[in-house]
Structures are given as structure tokens and as C-alpha cells.
Amino acid sequence: MKNLHFKDCFWSSDLVCTGGYDTIIHYLNDGRRTCKEVEDFMKARASIEERYAKDLLGLSKKVCGHNEMNTLKRSLDMFKLQMEQVSLSHIQLAQNMREEARKLEEFREKQKEARKKIEQQMDALHKLRSSHFKKTLDSKKTYEQKCRDKEEADQSVNRYKNTNNTKHMEKLSAKAQQAKQNADDADRIYQQNVVALGTLRSEWLKEHISACEMFEKQAVERIHFLRNTVWTHVNQLSLQCVTSDELNEEVRKSLSQCDIQEDIEHFVTLRQTGDKPPAAVAYENFYTGQRSLAATQCPQLASPAIRKGPLPLPTSDTKEDAIYSTVQETGYSTIQF
């Protein structure tokens, strides 16, 4: 299949029509706008990465496991350290994105300047072509009118050539001669304008083909550059994922070396207060001075038996005696000493 090119597909049957050229320029303007949109997109993405990196860096500075010790402390320290490294890698990613956006901006401006010269040249050529075309049409109209005037003058001479009015015939003949001269002059001017327009047309055709080739080259370069720019961008994102995973792997390695029993033993060794419990408090009799460990033991309270029958009445009212109180409920009693 034959490849299609700008120079072969954007012509018009109208000499002064610029529809094909305008279509190419519109396409190039859309392409430049796309470059600007991708550039702005990458700058915005870089700003997002910068904000994320700063937040992550601030988070890595926060206290986390400050009071821990031994292997778990080392793992938590590694966790914070690698988080800091991840944040720094995101800062580097943002800088790389800004650099790619800068390259795209330079490419866009470079193409703009190169196009500007060609467009100015073609616009001037289009104006000159339109002016010459109009001039040629005007000279054609003048030529045709002069030819009609000549024919009318010749017809007048033919109508009155058999008359005896010599003076009138001389007047008609002079008029016809002048009309012929005017027609010849108009014909010469018309032919000169046609030749000049033909020369200008040849020059325009040459410049149009050259401009189309240059514009097509720019379009090819733009598509290639944009494709590579986006490709590089997603490669940077993939590399960031790999970098983050490698840093996280260091945390996983540190966590795999975290020994629970070792941490427990480390704490015990470092902070232990003694390996013997306190002795039991012995009972000492005030009068005899005898000590008894059994007195310190809490006796098992037997389950109270359910009383049957009325409670006994108190026999004395001394303080050493027990005081009983009753409540009007079966099986309930309170004893105060």
C-alpha cells in the first residue's frame, strides 16, 4: 500500500483556495496544543509527587517505637529509614518528571519557531498569488471589453462603408483603428499577467510542496517525541515501584530477623529486679512471741449452714460479747464484733 503524504493530498482545483493548507496548519496547531497539555499534565503529576514525598518525609520523622528495644527496635528503625528513602525517591521522581516536561516545552517552542518562518513565507506568497490572480482576472475583463468595442467599431465601419459621407467614414475608421489598438494593448497586458501568474503559480507550487514536507516532518517528530516522552514517564513510574519494593524488602528482611524470644530475654536481662519472691509474712503472738506461717494463710470459709429455728437471744450486754441483729428474711444474718 502506498504511503500517504501531505504534499499529495491537500490540493484544491481553485488556484486561490487555501483549504488544504489551512487544514494542515489546523492539524499542527492541535498537535502543539497536545504537547502543551501533556507538558502541563506532567508538571501537575510532579507537583503531586512532591507533596506526597514531603508528607511521607514528615511522617518518617515522627516517633515510632522510641521505647522499644533489641531486634524489634532495629526493625522499626529500618522501617522509618526506608520510608525516608522512599520519600527521597519520590522527590527524585518529581524532579525527573519536571525535566521531561522541560524537554517537551523546549521541543514545542523549537517547532513553533521553525513553523513561524515557513508560515510567514507562505502567507506572503498566498497574498501575492491572490493579488496577481485578481489582477489577471481584471485584465481579462478589460481585454474582453476592448475586443467587444473593436468588433462594434468594425461593424459600424462595415455598415457605413458604401455611403458618400467621407468625413463620417473617416471618423468611424479612426474609431475602429483606436479600438483595435486598445484591444491589442489589453491583449498584451492580459497575456503578460497570465505569464506572471503562471510564474508565481510555479513558485507557489514549489513552496507549497516544500512546506508540506516540512510540516509532515514536524508532525512525525512530534508524534515520535510525545510517544517517547509518555513512554519515559511510565518507565519512571515503574522504576519508582521497583525502588519502593526494594526498600520495602529491606524492611521485610529486618522483620524476618526479629526474634521474639530474644527480645523477651533481652528485656529481662536488662531490666530484671530479682529472681526471688518476697517471703511470706509470719504471725507473731504478742504474748508468747511465737511465729506461725499458717496464721498468714487465708482460711477457706465454709459455706454457711442454713439456720433452722429461732436465733438465740443474747444473755449479756457487755462489749466483749457478740451483738446479733436480725432481719425478717429466712436464712439471712449479720454478725458484728
Side-chain angles (χ1 to χ4, degrees):
M1 182 179 178
K2 182 181 178 181
N3 293 331
L4 300 178
H5 298 285
F6 288 5
K7 65 180 182 179
D8 300 323
C9 302
F10 292 95
W11 298 104
S12 175
S13 58
D14 186 356
L15 181 61
V16 295
C17 178
T18 60
Y21 175 83
D22 293 340
T23 300
I24 295 176
I25 294 299
H26 183 74
Y27 171 72
L28 296 178
N29 287 337
D30 287 343
R32 185 174 63 185
R33 191 175 298 108
T34 299
C35 288
K36 185 64 169 64
E37 291 170 351
V38 174
E39 175 191 333
D40 293 341
F41 180 90
M42 296 184 69
K43 288 180 179 179
R45 179 60 190 268
S47 297
I48 293 173
E49 289 292 335
E50 284 180 347
R51 290 196 299 271
Y52 175 70
K54 290 179 181 178
D55 290 344
L56 200 61
L57 184 61
L59 182 61
S60 68
K61 302 298 183 183
K62 289 184 177 297
V63 175
C64 181
H66 176 72
N67 296 322
E68 266 302 334
M69 58 182 63
N70 209 38
T71 61
L72 181 58
K73 180 174 177 57
R74 290 197 293 269
S75 296
L76 293 177
D77 289 344
M78 177 62 70
F79 171 61
K80 291 179 59 181
L81 175 63
Q82 298 308 322
M83 182 177 293
E84 180 180 354
Q85 294 300 316
V86 170
S87 69
L88 295 179
S89 68
H90 278 281
I91 291 177
Q92 182 62 47
L93 174 61
Q95 294 175 351
N96 293 338
M97 289 179 179
R98 291 195 182 278
E99 179 63 19
E100 291 301 318
R102 184 190 63 79
K103 292 179 182 179
L104 182 56
E105 182 179 7
E106 290 181 353
F107 172 80
R108 177 171 55 83
E109 291 299 322
K110 182 180 178 180
Q111 282 206 334
K112 178 182 177 181
E113 291 300 319
R115 274 183 52 197
K116 185 177 180 180
K117 298 178 181 179
I118 301 298
E119 288 183 37
Q120 290 176 347
Q121 182 179 353
M122 291 301 297
D123 289 342
L125 197 56
H126 288 159
K127 291 179 180 179
L128 186 61
R129 182 189 62 179
S130 297
S131 175
H132 272 65
F133 183 74
K134 184 177 182 302
K135 185 177 180 180
T136 301
L137 290 182
D138 291 341
S139 63
K140 179 182 179 182
K141 292 179 181 178
T142 301
Y143 162 70
E144 291 174 347
Q145 183 61 45
K146 296 302 181 182
C147 288
R148 283 192 290 269
D149 293 344
K150 175 182 175 296
E151 289 179 354
E152 290 179 2
D154 291 340
Q155 290 175 2
S156 297
V157 170
N158 290 332
R159 279 198 303 270
Y160 294 99
K161 66 180 180 178
N162 295 326
T163 62
N164 296 326
N165 192 341
T166 305
K167 187 175 181 179
H168 184 64
M169 281 298 299
E170 289 177 356
K171 184 178 180 180
L172 290 176
S173 296
K175 184 178 180 181
Q177 186 66 29
Q178 184 62 44
K180 182 179 182 303
Q181 182 64 38
N182 293 339
D184 291 342
D185 292 343
D187 183 26
R188 185 183 68 258
I189 294 174
Y190 174 43
Q191 290 186 37
Q192 290 176 351
N193 288 335
V194 169
V195 172
L197 182 61
T199 302
L200 184 60
R201 175 183 174 276
S202 298
E203 181 182 355
W204 166 73
L205 289 176
K206 180 181 177 181
E207 294 299 327
H208 180 79
I209 292 174
S210 177
C212 285
E213 290 175 345
M214 185 267 188
F215 291 156
E216 182 175 341
K217 181 181 178 182
Q218 277 201 339
V220 171
E221 291 175 349
R222 178 185 62 81
I223 295 173
H224 180 75
F225 195 91
L226 274 178
R227 184 185 65 174
N228 287 350
T229 298
V230 177
W231 196 299
T232 301
H233 178 72
V234 296
N235 279 348
Q236 290 173 345
L237 296 178
S238 297
L239 182 60
Q240 176 61 39
C241 293
V242 173
T243 301
S244 296
D245 187 65
E246 290 175 350
L247 295 173
N248 291 332
E249 180 62 23
E250 294 300 319
V251 179
R252 286 190 287 268
K253 289 179 181 179
S254 178
L255 290 172
S256 66
Q257 296 174 1
C258 179
D259 190 319
I260 300 175
Q261 185 59 37
E262 180 182 341
D263 283 9
I264 296 297
E265 292 179 358
H266 176 81
F267 167 72
V268 171
T269 302
L270 185 65
R271 303 289 174 83
Q272 63 181 336
T273 59
D275 57 356
K276 295 181 179 179
V281 178
Y283 167 76
E284 294 185 16
N285 188 281
F286 178 79
Y287 300 102
T288 63
Q290 293 181 348
R291 298 166 58 90
S292 173
L293 292 177
T296 64
Q297 298 177 358
C298 296
Q300 295 290 334
L301 297 178
S303 300
I306 299 177
R307 296 178 178 273
K308 295 183 179 180
L311 294 174
L313 295 176
T315 57
S316 66
D317 195 25
T318 63
K319 293 182 178 180
E320 289 79 11
D321 295 333
I323 299 176
Y324 295 87
S325 65
T326 60
V327 179
Q328 296 302 319
E329 289 184 11
T330 305
Y332 178 87
S333 69
T334 301
I335 304 175
Q336 297 183 354
F337 294 93

